[in-house]
C-alpha cells in the first residue's frame, strides 16, 4: 500500500481524514515511473465538493486512458489541515500516489465559481509553487486553469501559465504531445514551450499578451506580445457528444459527498436564452447524447459504483428530445432494484406529472421551480419564457399529484427591476399557496410548504447583461426587505418561508466576474490575510476583502455600479465564445425594451453558434 503523506498523528487531529488518503473505489493506479506525463487535476475547494464534480470525473477518466499519462487528484485542504501543513511545511500532495504536487508536470485547476479564487493561491502556496507564473522555473509544473470562470480569466491571469478555453475533451492531447516533444528534445525551456502552447487553438497563455489602460481605467488595448500568437482565442467545442469520452467507472468516495450518485450528462447547452445565464450562452449550441449510448452508460455506471441513485444532468432536461424513452428505460430496468432516479432542471411549463410520479420516491420530496422573476414584465426582460399561467398550472398539477412542498428560486436586482416586480415575488408565492388550498381538504397531503429563495443578480461575461450595472449591498438588502414584507402581508404567510443570499458575498462575486488583471494583487492580499474558503459563509470575511481593495488602491464601484458603455473593451473580449458581441448587444437592447426572443428550436436568432456546424442549429437539416 502507498505510504500516506500525512502521519497517523496528523490524521487523528483533523476532520474527515478520509479526504486525504485516496484509495477510493475505481481509483486509477499506475506506476509513476512508467509514464511520461504526470497531471495533478485539482478542484480548489473541499473534497466533498470536488468529488461531486462531473468535469473532473470526465477528465480523470480521459487522461488515464492514455498509457503515457497518469492523472491524480488534489483538493483544497480544510482550514484545520491547512494550518498544520503551513506550520510543519508539509507540501500538498496528490491522493493517488501521495507524491508532492510540485513534482508533477502539470497542475490543472477547474474554476467553477469566482469565490474559490483565494483557494487557487492556497493550492499553489501549499504545493510550494511560486504564486505568479513569471516566478516559476523549468522544474515547476505548468499550471492550467479550465472551467466556466475562464470565460473571463483575467482576475487570476498572473497565477496561471495556461488557460484552457472551452470543453476539455478537445485539445489536451495536442498539449500533451507538444510537451513530450519538448521534453524529448533534451532542451526543455518553459518559456519556449508556453509560446508554442499558445498557438494551440483554445489555449490562452496570459504572459503572451499585454494590456493597456485608459485614464478612466477601462482597457485601451489587449494585444499579443508576438506576431505568431493569435489575437483571438477560440473556444473549443465537442461537436459529437455521443462520441466524446464519458467515464464508466466514476470514483466512489468513502465519505458522503455533495452529489453521492451516478451522474448521466444527457446533453450540453441550452436553447432557452435566459439573458442572465452565462452557461446558457457559452455552452451553445445544445448538443444531445444518443439515447442508446445513455442507456448503456447508465447500466455500466450503476454496476461499477453500487450507487442507488442516478441523476440526469443538463441545463434544461425537459428539452432533451429522448427524455421519455430514456426515463421509461431507467424506470423499467432500475426502479425494481431500488435505484432512485433524480431529474433536476425540469422546466415548469413542460412539467409532466406522470413522469415525476414514476421517478420520485413515494414520500414525494419537494419540487423546485425557478421563475427567476415575480412579474411577467420582468420575466420578459430576462427572457425567461414562462407565463404566470404556466407556473400556476404546473404547481397545480404537482399539488394534485400529492406534492405539498415547493421551492421557488428568484433573482433580485436584475436590470429594470421595480418595486412592483419585487412585490410580485411574494404575490406569486401567495397565488401558488392559494392554488394548493383550492384542493378539497380531504385530498390534500398535509400543510402546504412554499420556500422562496432569492439570490442577488451578478452580471456575467458573455451574457446580454454584461453591460448592466450592479446594485450596492444596501440596495440588494432593501430589495430583500420589500420581498420579506410582502410575504408577511399575504393571507397564507404561514405557508411561505423566505430566504435570501448574502449581499456582501454577491458584491465580491460581481467584482471577480467582470474584473481585470489588476485584481490579482487584491486576491494575493486576501490570501495573505487568511481569506480561503470564501464560498463558505462561515469563512467569508468581508472586512478582509475591503482591506485588500483599499491597500491595492482599486475602486469597487468601477467593477460594480458603474455604467458600461456599449463600445467598452471588456477584459474577456479577446475570447471568441461562439456567441457574438453583436448578438449579445442586440439581446441587451431587447431586454431594455422587454422584447422576448424565441428559443433556438422555435427560431434561429443568429447568435453565432451556427459556425460549430452541429447540435440544435442543424436539427431540422437532418
Amino acid at each position: 500500500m502507498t505510504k500516506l503523506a500525512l502521519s497517523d498523528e496528523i490524521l487523528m487531529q483533523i476532520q474527515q481524514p478520509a479526504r486525504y488518503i485516496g484509495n477510493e473505489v475505481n481509483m486509477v493506479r499506475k506506476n509513476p515511473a512508467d509514464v511520461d506525463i504526470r497531471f495533478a487535476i485539482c478542484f480548489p475547494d473541499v473534497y466533498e465538493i470536488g468529488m461531486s464534480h462531473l468535469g473532473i470525473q470526465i477528465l480523470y477518466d480521459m487522461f488515464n486512458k492514455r498509457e503515457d499519462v497518469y492523472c491524480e487528484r488534489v483538493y483544497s485542504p480544510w482550514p484545520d489541515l491547512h494550518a498544520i501543513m503551513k506550520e510543519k511545511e508539509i507540501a500538498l500532495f496528490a491522493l493517488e500516489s501521495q507524491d508532492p504536487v510540485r513534482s508533477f508536470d502539470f497542475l490543472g485547476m477547474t474554476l467553477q465559481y469566482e469565490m474559490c479564487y483565494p483557494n487557487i493561491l492556497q493550492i499553489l502556496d501549499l504545493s510550494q509553487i511560486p504564486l505568479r507564473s513569471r516566478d516559476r522555473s523549468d522544474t515547476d509544473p505548468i499550471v492550467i486553469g479550465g472551467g466556466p470562470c475562464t470565460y473571463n480569466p483575467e482576475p487570476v491571469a498572473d497565477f496561471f501559465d495556461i488557460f484552457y478555453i472551452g470543453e476539455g475533451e478537445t485539445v489536451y492531447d495536442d498539449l500533451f504531445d507538444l510537451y513530450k516533444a519538448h521534453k524529448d528534445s533534451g532542451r526543455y525551456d518553459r518559456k519556449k514551450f508556453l509560446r508554442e502552447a499558445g498557438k494551440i487553438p483554445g489555449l490562452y497563455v496570459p504572459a503572451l499578451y499585454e494590456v493597456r489602460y485608459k485614464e478612466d481605467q477601462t482597457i485601451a488595448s489587449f494585444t499579443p506580445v508576438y506576431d505568431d500568437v493569435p489575437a483571438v482565442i477560440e473556444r473549443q467545442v465537442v461537436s459529437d457528444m455521443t462520441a466524446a469520452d464519458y467515464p464508466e467507472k466514476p470514483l466512489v468516495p468513502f465519505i458522503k459527498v455533495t452529489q453521492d450518485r451516478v451522474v448521466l450528462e444527457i446533453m450540453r447547452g441550452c436553447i432557452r436564452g435566459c439573458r442572465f445565464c452565462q452557461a446558457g450562452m457559452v455552452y451553445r449550441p445544445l448538443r444531445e447524447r444518443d439515447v442508446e449510448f445513455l442507456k448503456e452508460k447508465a447500466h455500466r455506471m450503476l454496476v461499477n459504483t453500487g450507487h442507488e441513485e442516478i441523476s440526469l444532468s443538463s441545463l434544461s432536461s425537459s428539452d432533451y428530445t429522448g427524455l421519455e424513452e430514456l426515463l421509461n428505460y431507467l424506470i423499467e430496468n432500475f426502479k425494481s432494484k431500488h435505484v432512485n432516479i433524480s431529474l433536476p432542471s425540469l422546466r415548469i411549463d413542460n412539467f409532466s406529472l406522470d413522469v415525476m410520479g414514476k421517478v420520485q420516491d413515494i414520500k414525494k420530496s419537494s419540487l423546485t421551480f425557478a421563475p427567476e422573476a415575480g412579474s411577467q414584465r420582468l420575466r420578459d426582460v430576462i427572457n425567461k419564457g414562462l407565463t404566470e399561467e404556466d407556473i400556476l398550472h404546473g404547481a397545480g398539477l404537482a399539488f394534485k399529484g400529492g406534492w405539498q412542498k415547493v421551492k421557488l428560486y428568484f433573482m433580485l436586482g436584475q436590470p429594470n427591476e421595480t418595486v412592483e416586480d419585487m412585490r410580485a415575488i411574494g404575490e406569486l408565492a401567495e397565488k401558488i399557496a392559494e392554488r394548493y388550498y383550492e384542493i378539497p381538504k380531504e385530498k390534500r397531503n398535509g400543510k402546504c410548504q412554499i420556500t422562496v429563495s432569492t439570490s442577488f443578480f451578478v452580471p456575467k461575461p458573455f451574457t446580454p447583461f454584461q453591460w448592466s450595472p450592479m446594485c450596492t449591498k444596501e440596495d440588494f438588502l432593501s430589495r430583500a426587505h420589500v420581498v420579506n414584507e410582502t410575504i408577511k402581508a399575504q393571507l397564507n404567510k404561514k405557508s411561505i418561508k423566505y430566504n435570501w443570499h448574502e449581499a456582501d458575498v454577491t458584491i465580491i462575486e460581481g467584482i471577480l466576474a467582470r474584473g481585470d488583471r489588476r485584481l490579482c494583487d487584491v486576491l494575493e492580499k486576501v490570501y495573505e490575510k487568511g481569506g480561503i474558503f470564501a464560498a463558505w459563509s462561515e469563512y467569508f470575511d468581508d472586512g478582509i476583502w475591503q482591506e485588500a481593495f483599499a491597500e491595492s488602491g482599486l475602486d469597487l464601484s468601477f467593477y460594480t455600479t458603474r455604467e458600461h458603455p456599449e463600445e467598452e473593451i471588456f477584459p474577456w473580449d479577446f475570447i471568441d465564445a461562439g456567441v457574438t458581441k453583436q448578438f449579445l448587444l442586440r439581446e441587451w437592447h431587447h431586454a431594455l425594451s422587454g422584447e422576448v426572443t424565441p428559443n433556438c428550436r422555435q427560431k434561429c436568432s443568429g447568435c453565432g453558434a451556427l459556425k460549430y456546424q452541429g447540435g440544435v442549429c442543424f436539427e431540422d437539416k437532418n
Side-chain angles (χ1 to χ4, degrees), residues 1-24 27 43-49 51 72-85 90-101 119 122-123 126 253-255 257 532-533 536 539:
M1 181 176 173
T2 303
K3 183 180 178 182
L4 297 178
L6 300 176
S7 67
D8 291 347
E9 179 186 3
I10 292 175
L11 291 171
M12 293 292 286
Q13 294 178 48
I14 59 178
Q15 300 178 43
Q16 298 284 17
R19 292 168 173 161
Y20 311 107
I21 61 176
N23 287 302
E24 301 97 334
M27 189 189 86
F43 195 105
D45 207 326
V46 73
Y47 176 92
E48 289 91 326
I49 303 293
M51 275 291 285
E72 306 181 45
R73 291 163 298 128
V74 184
Y75 306 103
S76 284
W78 197 241
D80 56 353
L81 180 58
H82 174 94
I84 293 172
M85 294 180 75
I90 300 171
L92 186 60
F93 51 90
L95 297 192
E96 279 74 3
S97 66
Q98 300 281 301
D99 288 341
V101 171
N119 281 45
Q122 179 208 29
I123 296 293
L126 293 182
F254 292 130
I255 60 176
V257 298
I532 57 174
F533 288 99
W536 295 71
Y539 289 108

Side-chain angles (χ1 to χ4, degrees), residues 83-217:
I84 293 172
M85 294 180 75
K86 288 290 288 183
E87 178 188 352
K88 297 184 180 296
E89 297 183 352
I90 300 171
L92 186 60
F93 51 90
L95 297 192
E96 279 74 3
S97 66
Q98 300 281 301
D99 288 341
V101 171
R102 66 168 183 259
S103 65
F104 282 60
D105 297 285
F106 291 91
L107 168 59
M109 297 194 218
T110 183
L111 310 181
Q112 292 295 311
Y113 34 85
E114 290 85 358
M115 299 312 294
C116 78
Y117 287 176
N119 281 45
I120 294 169
L121 282 77
Q122 179 208 29
I123 296 293
L124 294 171
D125 183 32
L126 293 182
S127 299
Q128 299 171 6
I129 298 170
L131 299 183
R132 306 272 179 159
S133 172
R134 63 173 180 258
D135 298 325
R136 294 173 196 147
S137 69
D138 289 350
T139 60
D140 289 311
I142 299 296
V143 181
I144 305 178
C149 288
T150 59
Y151 287 102
N152 178 22
E154 291 304 279
V156 289
D158 289 352
F159 309 126
F160 287 88
D161 301 309
I162 300 173
F163 286 99
Y164 187 112
I165 310 297
E167 297 170 345
E169 298 96 333
T170 51
V171 299
Y172 263 116
D173 284 338
D174 296 336
L175 179 65
F176 291 157
D177 292 343
L178 176 66
Y179 183 77
K180 284 178 62 177
H182 273 252
K183 282 287 188 178
D184 291 345
S185 71
R187 298 186 300 276
Y188 174 75
D189 181 284
R190 181 188 191 86
K191 291 183 178 179
K192 290 181 180 178
F193 167 73
L194 289 175
R195 182 169 175 180
E196 291 302 309
K199 299 175 186 177
I200 296 175
L203 298 189
Y204 165 51
V205 178
L208 302 180
Y209 296 80
E210 184 178 38
V211 190
R212 296 183 184 276
Y213 298 93
K214 300 178 181 177
E215 288 187 9
D216 65 1
Q217 302 305 305

Side-chain angles (χ1 to χ4, degrees), residues 3 41 69 101 122 133 167 189 209 271 306 309 332 363 383 397 470 481 511 521 526 575 598:
K3 183 180 178 182
I41 193 164
V69 175
V101 171
Q122 179 208 29
S133 172
E167 297 170 345
D189 181 284
Y209 296 80
I271 63 172
E309 182 172 351
E332 181 180 337
K363 288 181 69 175
N383 207 48
L397 287 175
M470 278 183 71
H481 178 75
I511 293 169
D521 292 337
V526 168
I575 297 173

